[in-house]
């Protein structure tokens, strides 16, 4: 519709894949075809009756194509070993707001056309006719397009990245812990439950290592030209910003024994390995690691380190201006390697079959079946023992000489609150009496004992859960978090995700209160995995939440159209309703609590009566999937947006569309404002925005001392923005809050607007 869209990679199998828009047509684009050598793309417009020829930079023989060929294209990589590359949609603007004709990044396929003005995401904008200013509106207050006088500070992050990270959780020398989540390095005081954040990264933080001094940390990110930062966990200030040689993203990082060097492994097809000198923070050398994935690396001293991965073991020697690698010999040992550490001169390697391999001189000399067929994901060498953590949920403490098991902890039995107690990271505190454990369930636990010397009879206390978050049980499909709503008691909020859980959180205590299982049928029995993917069924994947005005009911909309109703007090599933076949993206209870409106990707809005949840009215008028809706204060009317950028109005009592609703309801008071299209949110859209760039908005409950309300929004650029409400001047300024590394799917204010 009105533009050319280019997916970065073929095949394009990921839902809501990123793309770029190239504007030229003024009507629907009816056909597109590449020339034989891909140097040109030809498009034809329907009503504009024009044929446009677009020159590409990736056709046969082009310089860019040759460079891309040398670099290699991204391959599908198992999340168990390394993170997939992610391309972000970026618009580059000059001081006048025009699109720059410079390439955005090295992966761009087209030059971006200079359009000279913004708001081009549709040549025809169906919502414009439905935007009517209130009858008493005269003019905007002074400075209404300016950023509001508010300060937005990141207070807390629930979650811990484990889907493609290992050994990424450590104690600092002052007793705090450090780990990564989203685009952040996080330093946490577990005693006060407070967090501080390193927020310089522009994308997912995918690798982390702790300096031998116990204070400084290195973190690396995804991206075509990623940055590695070395920073202080005390001041949160950057010591070194490292670039050069590295591309696509960082798979693993490791400091040398003295901390004078830092090695990094990349996720590009050639799996480049770089070594940095940390006196001045300069690149010493970067070399190709080979075609095999690198999952981990570790130094044995200040010049020698080892990289491991599936069918990969290589010993590297780093000298000023030189980096040389030598392949190891597997002999008969298992060759899918995952983790690595050093115990004096022994190189300890965790294998996917559960073996702990002992390498010396570039070959395997011993194999110990520590985890019985389950991958050894974590290895930590401390003063007394070698600790291993496996996908089987066991933590083993091994003798440092014989590698016999001194102590074995079954976290499947010990970590009873864990959704997935497979171990991704383990280490000990400075006094050696506390285990710090990271699980594949995005959870962090402490497990303590009074004994310094351990044996099979050592007693540990009750585990303390420090962090919990939504996690990634699905291997074949994405694991996203979309559902969000707040309770009316002002103390709690709820979220749901593709991990098949509904979670209730405490605002003041900053902790998880309840986990409710969505992976159940109408009788409460567990659902079988999807027979094709072995992942959770789509009916268990929560995508939207609504909480009734008196907090009596929680409604959850699922990915394939299932509607689940839970008690707001006991959290028992009361109803399972299947009227639609596609994703329920939005739903809301009426202010009087007597109705529930449910918007699905079947293009329907269904109105259910409460408390029996019988379907009263199926509303059908939108030409695309329903994205947002709001009730009027009197519970009589609805407004809604859809994927075709329509703004429609409805009489919720008789289930009829109101053709003249824009004028008839221009003075209507809306209980919430979450629609992204409408008169009071015209100014939220940046210049050159795509119509799907903004995923969620929410109006504040209270009024700012300066006399205006606030509107918060989440966008595809990983940002949360806060603007003055109403926002009616195009491209209004706002306060920007960063921390996410992916599209922000939903935002909601707490009842008092303090969070």
């Amino acid at each position: 519709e009105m533009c050319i869209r280019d997916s970065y990679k073929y095949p394009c199998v990921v839902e809501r894949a990123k793309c770029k828009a190239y504007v030229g047509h003024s009507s629907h684009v009816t056909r597109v075809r590449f020339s034989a050598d891909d140097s040109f793309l030809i498009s034809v417009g329907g009503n504009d009756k024009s044929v446009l020829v677009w020159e590409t930079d990736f056709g046969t023989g082009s310089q860019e194509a040759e460079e891309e060929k040398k670099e290699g294209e991204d391959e599908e990589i198992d999340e168990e070993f390394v993170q997939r590359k992610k391309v972000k949609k970026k618009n580059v603007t000059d001081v006048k707001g025009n699109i720059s004709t410079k390439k955005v990044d090295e992966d761009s396929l087209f030059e971006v056309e200079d359009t000279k003005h913004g708001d081009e995401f549709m040549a025809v904008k169906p919502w414009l006719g439905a935007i009517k200013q209130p009858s008493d509106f005269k003019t905007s207050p002074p400075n209404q397009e300016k950023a509001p006088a508010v300060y937005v500070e990141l207070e807390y992050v629930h979650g811990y990245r484990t889907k493609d990270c290992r050994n990424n959780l450590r104690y600092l020398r002052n007793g705090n812990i450090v780990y990564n989540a989203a685009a952040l390095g996080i330093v946490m005081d577990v005693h006060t439950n407070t967090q501080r954040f390193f927020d310089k990264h522009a994308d997912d933080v995918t690798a982390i290592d702790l300096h031998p001094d116990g204070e400084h940390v290195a973190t690396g990110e995804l991206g075509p030209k990623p940055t590695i930062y070395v920073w202080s966990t005390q001041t949160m200030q950057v010591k070194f910003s490292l670039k050069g040689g590295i591309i696509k993203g960082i798979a693993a990082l490791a400091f040398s024994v003295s901390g004078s060097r830092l090695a990094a492994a990349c996720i590009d097809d050639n799996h480049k390995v770089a070594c940095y000198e940390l006196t001045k923070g300069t690149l010493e050398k970067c070399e190709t690691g080979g075609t095999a994935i690198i999952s981990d690396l570790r130094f044995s001293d200040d010049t020698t380190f080892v990289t491991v991965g599936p069918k990969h073991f290589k010993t590297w020697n780093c000298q000023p201006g030189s980096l040389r690698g030598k392949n190891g010999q597997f002999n008969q040992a298992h060759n899918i390697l995952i983790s690595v550490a050093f115990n004096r001169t022994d190189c300890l390697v965790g294998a996917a079959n559960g073996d702990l391999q002992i390498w010396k001189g570039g070959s395997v000399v011993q194999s110990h079946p520590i985890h019985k067929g389950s991958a050894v994901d974590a290895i930590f060498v401390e003063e007394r023992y070698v600790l291993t953590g496996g996908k089987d949920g066991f933590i083993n403490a091994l003798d440092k000489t014989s590698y016999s098991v001194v102590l074995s902890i079954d976290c499947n039995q010990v970590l009873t609150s864990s959704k997935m107690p497979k171990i991704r990271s383990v280490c000990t505190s400075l006094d050696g009496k506390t285990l710090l454990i990271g699980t594949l369930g995005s959870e962090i636990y402490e497990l303590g004992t009074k004994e310094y010397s351990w044996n099979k009879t050592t007693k540990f206390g009750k585990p303390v859960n420090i962090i919990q978050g939504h996690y990634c049980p699905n291997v074949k499909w994405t694991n996203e978090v979309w559902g969000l709503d707040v309770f009316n008691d002002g103390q709690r909020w709820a979220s749901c995700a593709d991990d098949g859980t509904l979670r209730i959180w405490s605002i003041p205590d900053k902790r998880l209160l309840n986990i409710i299982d969505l992976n159940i049928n109408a009788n409460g029995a567990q659902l079988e995995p999807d027979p094709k993917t072995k992942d959770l069924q789509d009916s268990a994947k929560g995508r939207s939440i609504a909480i009734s005005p008196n907090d009596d009911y929680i409604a959850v909309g699922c990915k394939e159209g299932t509607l689940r109703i839970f008690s707001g007090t006991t959290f028992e599933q009361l109803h399972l309703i299947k009227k639609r076949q596609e994703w329920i993206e939005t739903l809301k209870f009426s202010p009087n609590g007597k109705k529930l409106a449910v918007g699905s990707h079947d293009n329907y809005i269904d109105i259910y009566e409460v408390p029996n949840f019988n379907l009263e009215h199926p509303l059908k008028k939108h030409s695309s999937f329903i994205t947002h809706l709001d009730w009027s204060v009197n519970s009589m009317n609805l407004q809604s947006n859809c994927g075709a950028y329509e703004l429609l109005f409805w009489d919720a009592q008789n289930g009829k569309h109101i053709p003249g609703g824009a004028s008839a309801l221009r003075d209507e008071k809306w209980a919430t404002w979450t629609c992204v299209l409408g008169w009071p949110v015209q100014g939220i859209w940046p210049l050159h925005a795509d119509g799907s760039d903004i995923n969620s908005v929410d109006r504040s409950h209270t009024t700012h001392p300066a006399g205006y309300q606030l509107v918060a929004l989440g966008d595809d650029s990983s940002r949360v923005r806060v603007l003055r409400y109403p926002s009616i001047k195009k491209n209004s300024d706002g306060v920007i809050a960063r921390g996410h590394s992916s599209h922000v799917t939903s935002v909601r204010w707490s009842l008092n607007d303090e969070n």
Side-chain angles (χ1 to χ4, degrees), residues 663-680:
S663 298
L665 300 178
R666 66 193 305 169
D667 295 324
E668 191 72 31
K669 304 299 181 185
W670 299 99
T672 58
W673 194 287
T674 60
C675 285
V676 298
L677 302 172
W679 179 81

Side-chain angles (χ1 to χ4, degrees), residues 5-6 8 16-22 86-92 104-105 108 112 121 203 224 645 685 688-695 715-719 743:
R5 285 179 179 262
D6 164 49
Y8 275 86
R16 296 174 66 90
K18 299 292 184 180
C19 60
K20 287 190 175 180
Y22 306 94
K86 182 174 63 178
V87 179
K88 285 196 170 183
K89 178 169 50 182
K90 296 180 180 177
N91 292 327
V92 179
V104 175
D105 59 54
S108 294
V112 182
F121 67 83
D203 212 321
Y645 314 114
W685 293 92
H688 325 298
D690 181 282
S692 62
D693 279 347
I694 295 176
N695 302 308
D715 63 26
D716 272 356
S717 299
S718 310
R719 302 178 304 175
H743 47 285

Side-chain angles (χ1 to χ4, degrees), residues 152-198:
V152 181
E153 180 182 24
L154 183 59
E155 181 183 35
Y156 205 86
V157 173
H158 296 276
Y160 157 56
R161 187 178 184 113
T162 58
K163 68 172 184 176
D164 49 14
C165 291
R166 298 170 176 83
N167 300 304
N168 60 333
L169 173 63
R170 291 292 182 259
Y171 279 110
L172 301 173
R173 68 183 184 186
N174 62 4
N176 291 341
I177 65 173
V178 63
Y179 57 98
N180 60 296
L184 301 166
I186 302 175
V187 177
M188 182 173 183
D189 185 329
V190 299
H191 301 294
T192 61
N193 195 27
T194 56
Q195 298 174 339
R196 293 180 296 134
F197 308 99
F198 180 79

